[in-house]
């Protein structure tokens, strides 16, 4: 019997794909991928690492980044003003709320200075709201923007951050920050900590994929896992162990999703940053946030994977490949046939 | 879900294809020039209303101003010139010169170049041979055309590589260089919809569904794959041109076709080499 690995390509072997490469040349291009087109509208959401993706796409020029709300210079860079969304459950609840199916009971939290903060996006408005009514009005506008984002995007990029959540014990609403971190609810005893299990994470992802498909049948979902370790864990585990626990669940759930749903894809930003080939230099001094060099590597592979490596100037023009001659007119692609037999209209 | 197809001669195929695949969708289609007229010179309220409310526009022309507010599925225009490298759309200035096929403005580069060089009809007819094709470069365009076609669609997320290999195994899959047979439009539509509106496991049944879509371009004009070119790609072909159904589906031999082409060209006062892409190469080939 011949060695079954003999038929595998170089990228399937550690030595030829990783071990003998300089760190910056390791390119784990996903086997399951699609090509981004100039007219794709890309929306992003997720944990803080997702902002790097958003900023890269905004500046790219080859693709269109979807923004359905005006994002200020000091506000998190996503497609709408939802701020960091660390878990799929939080995103799923946002979708339900945007569709009018969910009405979180307690989102107007009062700060010590007397202003109110939207507890579901506490870092968005630095000055807070003078009263609960203006907070709810801003949220109503935000939810309309979320609906527009969901229905308008052709690609939705979501970066999963962690599995630990703080939620309302009354209605299950998941909050991005623990009560007391950015503001305090009036009834802190109504909130509790949970660490989502693999089945719950996968279930939330599957629900979201199905919901988005119902809203926007043509949209693709691109999942990534944030390589940023947990700032802190509320579990009983060491934060390093808790980080591995969270990331492992998220990473495994992504693979399960790509196997289950054709319109769901995974991009390995997590592997690029955490892979040992970089010998840790893709992290900043604090060993937690990502260094620009690491972000650049992720985006370089992103561009290679999704066909964004052509020069910007060529983006809107059909590719002009070398031809043996100038036999043909460049206008051939624009010909509109006027043959008599062409059926001109259907349905009008 | 509402979908509007506005593209070129593929409009009917894609409109009917979407209707067949998604019976619960409301799908309508209009060829681009008609659509432009309906939002401009002769407004069509029915079209304008549908355009405003549609969930998706399938088009090869995403930059058309009328689509500014719509979600778009871009499916580029189809053309592949390796099987019909001699044909081209002839215009002098802004005037399209009607083809001897009675519809459209498709002409022969060899015939037009021979005419401009003052060659006789018989010499022009005799020039349709492997030597002229080789010297003009007609045998050398396949790979570049294949690459260009695949890239043009890949740029919009449509992977035609596997489908293209299937097409070439079936022989000639075109009526003219930009009129593919119905099965080609079906493959293009399926690939454009794959993983977005259709999952892989549904592709076989979707392909079977699309087999019911009429071949809308079959009644239209035919340009032959010249036998020497067809032989290179291992299929047989006859040197027969055909007008469209509305012009009587008249078949023409090479002699008839060149004779009629010369008659058309003689009526033109301002035809020049500039009207003929690839004139210099063809001229050199004919004078060799």
């Amino acid at each position: 019997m011949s060695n079954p690995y003999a038929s595998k390509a170089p990228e399937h072997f550690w030595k030829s794909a990783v071990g003998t490469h300089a760190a910056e040349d390791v390119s784990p291009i996903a086997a399951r991928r699609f090509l981004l087109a100039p007219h794709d509208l890309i929306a992003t959401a997720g944990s803080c690492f997702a902002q790097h993706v958003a900023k890269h796409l905004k500046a790219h020029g080859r693709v269109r980044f979807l923004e359905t709300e005006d994002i200020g210079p000091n506000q998190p860079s996503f497609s709408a003003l939802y701020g960091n969304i660390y878990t799929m459950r939080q995103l799923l609840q946002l979708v339900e709320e945007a569709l009018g199916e969910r009405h979180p009971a307690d989102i107007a939290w009062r700060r010590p200075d007397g202003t109110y903060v939207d507890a579901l996006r506490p870092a968005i408005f630095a000055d807070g709201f003078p009263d609960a009514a203006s907070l709810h009005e801003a949220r109503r506008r935000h939810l309309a923007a979320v609906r527009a984002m969901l229905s308008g995007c052709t690609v939705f990029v979501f970066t999963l951050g962690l599995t630990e959540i703080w939620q309302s014990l009354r209605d299950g609403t998941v909050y991005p920050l623990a009560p007391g971190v950015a503001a305090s609810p009036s009834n802190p005893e109504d909130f509790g900590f949970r660490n989502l299990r693999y089945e719950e994470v996968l279930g939330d992802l599957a629900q979201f994929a199905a919901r988005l498909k119902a809203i926007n049948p043509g949209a693709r979902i691109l999942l990534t896992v944030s390589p940023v370790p947990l700032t802190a864990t509320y579990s009983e585990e060491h934060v390093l162990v808790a980080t591995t626990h969270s990331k492992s669940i998220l990473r495994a759930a992504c693979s399960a999703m790509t196997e289950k749903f054709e319109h769901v894809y995974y991009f390995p930003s997590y592997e690029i940053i955490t892979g040992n080939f970089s010998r840790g230099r893709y992290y900043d001094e604090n060993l937690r946030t990502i260094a620009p060099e690491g972000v650049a590597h992720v985006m370089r592979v992103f561009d290679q994977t999704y066909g964004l490596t052509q020069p910007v100037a060529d983006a809107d023009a059909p590719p002009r490949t070398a031809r043996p001659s100038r036999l043909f007119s460049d206008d051939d692609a624009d010909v509109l046939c006027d043959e008599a037999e062409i059926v001109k209209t259907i349905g009008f | 879900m509402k979908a509007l197809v506005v593209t070129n001669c593929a409009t009917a195929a894609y409109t009917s294809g979407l209707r067949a695949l998604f019976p619960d969708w409301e799908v309508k289609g209009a060829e681009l020039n008609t659509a432009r007229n309906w939002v401009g010179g002769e407004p069509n309220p029915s079209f304008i209303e549908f355009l405003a409310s549609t969930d998706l526009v399938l088009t090869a022309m995403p930059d058309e101003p009328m689509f500014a507010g719509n979600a778009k599925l871009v499916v580029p225009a189809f053309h592949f010139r390796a099987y019909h490298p001699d044909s081209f759309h002839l215009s002098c200035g802004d005037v399209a010169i009607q083809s001897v096929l009675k519809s459209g403005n498709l002409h022969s580069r060899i015939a037009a170049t021979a005419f401009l060089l003052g060659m006789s009809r018989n010499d022009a007819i005799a020039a349709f041979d492997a030597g002229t094709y080789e010297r003009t470069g007609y045998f050398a365009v396949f790979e570049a055309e294949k690459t260009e076609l695949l890239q043009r669609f890949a740029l919009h997320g449509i992977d035609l590589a596997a489908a293209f290999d299937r097409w070439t195994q079936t022989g000639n899959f075109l009526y003219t260089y930009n009129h593919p047979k119905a099965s080609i439009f079906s493959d293009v539509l399926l690939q454009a919809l794959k993983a977005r509106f259709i999952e892989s496991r549904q592709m076989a049944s979707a392909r079977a569904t699309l087999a019911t879509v009429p071949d809308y371009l079959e009644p239209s004009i035919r340009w032959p794959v010249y036998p020497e070119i067809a032989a290179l790609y291992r299929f047989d072909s006859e040197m027969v041109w055909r007008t469209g159904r509305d012009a009587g589906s008249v078949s023409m031999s090479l002699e008839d076709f060149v004779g009629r082409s010369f008659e058309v060209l003689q009526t033109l006062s301002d035809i020049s080499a500039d009207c003929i892409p690839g004139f210099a190469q063809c001229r050199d080939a004919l004078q060799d």
Side-chain angles (χ1 to χ4, degrees), chain A residues 50-271:
Chain A
Q51 292 188 51
H52 292 303
V53 178
K55 287 172 184 167
H56 175 73
L57 292 172
K58 274 186 189 180
H60 199 289
R62 272 292 314 276
V63 289
R64 296 187 299 161
F65 185 78
L66 179 61
E67 275 184 356
T68 55
E69 276 182 292
D70 292 333
I71 313 288
N74 296 319
Q75 291 175 315
S77 190
F78 293 112
S79 291
L81 286 170
Y82 28 66
N84 290 346
I85 298 178
Y86 296 101
T87 63
M88 181 51 76
R89 179 152 302 179
Q90 193 189 336
L91 177 66
L92 192 56
Q93 291 186 353
L94 176 63
V95 173
E96 291 168 351
E97 188 186 355
L99 298 177
E101 301 168 359
R102 180 177 187 80
H103 305 282
D106 191 1
I107 62 169
W109 292 2
R110 198 157 192 183
R111 298 197 292 201
D113 64 0
T115 60
Y116 286 84
V117 65
D118 182 341
L120 296 178
R121 45 181 187 152
I124 296 295
F125 301 102
D127 295 337
F129 295 91
D131 50 52
S134 56
L135 183 153
H136 285 291
E137 174 56 22
R139 187 154 189 87
R140 189 191 58 75
R141 290 194 302 272
H142 170 58
L143 293 174
V146 171
R147 285 195 297 275
M149 185 267 295
L150 293 169
S151 60
C153 68
T154 62
V155 179
F156 183 77
V157 183
F158 186 73
T159 300
L160 294 145
L162 41 77
T163 54
E164 297 188 8
I165 62 169
W166 287 88
Q167 67 180 152
S168 164
L169 301 177
R170 286 199 290 163
D171 65 359
T173 298
V174 173
Y175 296 83
L177 296 177
V181 173
S184 295
S186 56
N187 47 346
E189 68 281 3
D190 283 348
F191 296 84
F193 169 82
R194 282 196 60 206
N195 204 354
L196 295 171
R197 299 188 309 275
Y198 170 77
E199 295 79 10
E200 294 175 295
V201 171
L202 186 58
D204 289 344
L205 281 165
Q207 268 198 64
F208 175 76
R211 295 304 303 264
L212 184 62
K213 193 154 191 69
I215 298 166
N216 183 349
R220 295 177 167 106
I221 297 171
L222 181 55
L223 296 174
T224 68
V225 173
S226 167
V228 179
L230 275 60
T231 298
T233 179
Y234 197 73
S235 72
E236 298 303 316
E237 299 292 348
H238 187 287
V239 69
L240 183 61
V241 176
T243 294
T244 302
H245 175 87
S246 258
K247 304 296 182 183
S248 302
I249 285 175
L250 300 178
R251 179 63 190 85
C254 287
S255 284
M257 285 295 294
T258 60
E259 289 165 13
K260 186 177 174 65
F261 292 96
E262 189 110 19
H263 66 298
V264 178
Y265 298 80
Y266 173 73
F267 176 71
S269 53
Y270 179 80
E271 285 83 345

Side-chain angles (χ1 to χ4, degrees), chain A residues 35 37-39 213 217-218 220 262-263 265 319 321 323 325-328 332 337-342 344-346, chain B residues 9 19 29 31 62-63 81 103-104 109 140 151 154-156 177 179 195-197 200 217 244-246 277 281:
Chain A
L35 297 172
H39 294 280
K213 193 154 191 69
R220 295 177 167 106
E262 189 110 19
H263 66 298
Y265 298 80
T321 52
R323 299 200 184 103
S325 65
R326 291 291 301 165
L327 266 183
F328 303 126
D332 284 346
C337 307
D338 62 353
E339 283 84 10
E341 299 81 7
I342 301 299
K344 306 282 189 189
T345 70
I346 292 181
Chain B
C9 52
R19 285 180 164 192
E31 182 268 342
D63 296 326
R81 295 166 293 200
S103 194
R109 180 180 296 100
Q151 283 185 354
L155 193 61
H156 295 281
Y177 84 84
H179 277 192
R196 299 181 66 185
F197 298 93
S200 287
L217 298 183
R245 183 185 56 203
D246 288 9
Q281 287 162 258

Side-chain angles (χ1 to χ4, degrees), chain B residues 3-287:
Chain B
L4 173 64
V5 179
V6 179
T7 187
N8 59 2
C9 52
T11 298
Y14 293 152
T15 305
S16 294
L18 289 176
R19 285 180 164 192
L21 290 170
F22 307 109
D24 55 334
W25 288 17
E26 187 179 2
V27 185
K28 298 186 180 188
E31 182 268 342
L32 180 65
N33 277 338
T34 304
R36 283 174 174 160
N37 192 37
W38 282 351
V39 295
E42 298 177 31
N44 179 334
S46 165
F47 177 81
I48 293 169
E49 184 182 331
F50 197 79
L51 174 64
S53 62
T54 193
D55 300 297
L56 184 72
V57 172
L58 186 157
T59 183
M61 304 83 173
D63 296 326
E64 274 290 313
M66 75 175 99
F67 307 141
N70 295 109
K72 289 177 274 284
L73 177 63
V74 182
V75 180
F78 190 98
H79 67 76
F80 178 71
R81 295 166 293 200
Y83 288 175
H84 302 97
D86 188 45
S87 64
F88 71 103
H89 284 89
L90 175 60
S91 296
C92 294
D94 293 333
V95 180
I97 309 303
Q98 193 186 50
S99 169
V100 296
L101 299 178
K102 303 294 185 190
S103 194
N105 60 327
L106 212 52
H107 290 257
S108 157
R109 180 180 296 100
I110 291 174
T113 303
F115 174 82
L116 274 187
L117 293 175
M119 292 170 62
S120 71
R121 293 183 190 196
N122 286 342
D123 284 348
I125 291 166
F128 281 78
D129 66 11
T132 304
Y133 305 154
E134 195 279 331
R135 290 191 298 277
T136 310
Y138 288 175
F139 291 148
V141 296
F142 185 93
E143 286 304 324
E145 281 293 291
K146 174 184 174 182
T147 301
E148 199 271 344
L149 172 75
L150 297 185
Q151 283 185 354
R152 184 168 5 107
F153 281 82
L155 193 61
H156 295 281
I158 302 170
D159 182 358
L160 293 182
F164 182 87
D165 290 341
R166 275 203 314 277
W167 302 339
T168 53
Q169 288 167 13
T170 64
N172 180 17
F173 54 88
L174 303 162
Y175 296 124
T176 69
Y177 84 84
N178 61 348
H179 277 192
K181 296 179 178 177
S183 62
I184 306 309
F185 280 141
S186 295
D187 280 340
V188 171
L189 184 62
L190 285 175
Q191 290 302 319
L193 299 170
K194 185 181 177 184
R196 299 181 66 185
F197 298 93
I198 298 175
E199 298 194 1
S200 287
R201 59 185 168 77
Q202 300 169 313
M203 290 292 274
S205 63
R207 186 170 286 113
T209 299
L210 289 181
T212 62
V213 172
D215 191 342
Y216 286 101
L217 298 183
E218 192 280 332
S220 191
I221 59 173
R222 303 274 179 93
W223 195 280
V225 180
Y226 301 165
E228 295 87 344
I229 294 172
L232 190 63
Y233 306 117
R234 295 187 172 82
F235 62 89
D236 296 324
S237 183
E238 288 184 298
M239 203 66 160
V240 178
W241 284 257
R242 198 197 77 179
T243 68
R245 183 185 56 203
D246 288 9
S249 299
V250 176
S251 294
M252 286 177 227
S253 66
L254 173 64
E255 292 75 14
D256 195 8
F257 173 80
V258 172
R260 294 186 194 209
S261 292
F262 270 45
E263 288 172 12
V264 170
L265 296 167
Q266 281 166 349
T267 65
L268 306 176
S269 58
D270 57 350
I271 184 170
S272 69
D274 293 340
C275 305
I276 305 171
F279 172 83
Q281 287 162 258
C282 193
R283 176 199 62 205
D284 294 347
L286 292 174
Q287 292 178 334

